[in-house]
Amino acid sequence: MPATPTGPTTDDNRPATATGPVPCRVVVCRDCCCGSPKVTGVDHEAQTARLRAAAPVRVSDCLDVCDQANVVVQPSAEGRAAGARPVWLGLVNDPDATEDVVAWVRAGGPGVAPLPDILDLYAITPPRRRTAS
């Protein structure tokens, strides 16, 4: 079973400027660690707005990987039909990384477009898929 957000979330509608099928959904953590001033130098509101320009964004209170300041890209129906699972990305804390996520989402995201090499560097294991040491 895929890992899921552990706190309340806010679902946003599809961006008003979007047309056609939505390629996937993005989940961002905006609780005590990930979306707060504890992660310095990041404009979390601007990042969320930029992601919303590409796909619906779900804001989670906690995704339970606080040390990663994370973003999760969930596949579209087409991606799920191809067997894709959500892709968890950690430390997406600069505008260039956000733009890399936006480009991948616009290309189709998990199951539709291959994970770009640059985003492979950000890939993390979700908490429920981690194995005990």
Side-chain angles (χ1 to χ4, degrees):
M1 184 163 136
T4 57
T6 58
T9 59
T10 304
D11 283 322
D12 291 312
N13 292 328
R14 190 171 160 188
T17 58
T19 59
V22 176
C24 52
R25 178 178 300 274
V26 177
V27 180
V28 294
C29 187
R30 294 293 182 253
D31 195 27
C32 65
C33 299
C34 298
S36 75
K38 289 181 184 178
V39 180
T40 60
V42 178
D43 185 341
H44 299 287
E45 288 182 27
Q47 181 188 52
T48 302
R50 181 67 184 115
L51 292 167
R52 279 188 178 133
V57 172
R58 183 175 175 199
V59 176
S60 175
D61 280 351
C62 187
L63 291 172
D64 201 26
V65 282
C66 299
D67 58 329
Q68 298 296 320
N70 48 10
V71 171
V72 180
V73 181
Q74 297 177 322
S76 64
E78 179 184 0
R80 284 218 186 262
R85 307 289 289 179
V87 174
W88 290 59
L89 304 170
L91 304 175
V92 179
N93 294 322
D94 64 71
D96 290 339
T98 300
E99 290 304 316
D100 292 332
V101 173
V102 165
W104 184 44
V105 164
R106 287 193 170 153
V112 176
L115 182 68
D117 290 342
I118 190 69
L119 289 181
D120 191 44
L121 298 173
Y122 292 91
I124 62 173
T125 302
R128 292 187 188 159
R129 292 190 196 162
R130 292 181 186 164
T131 57
S133 303

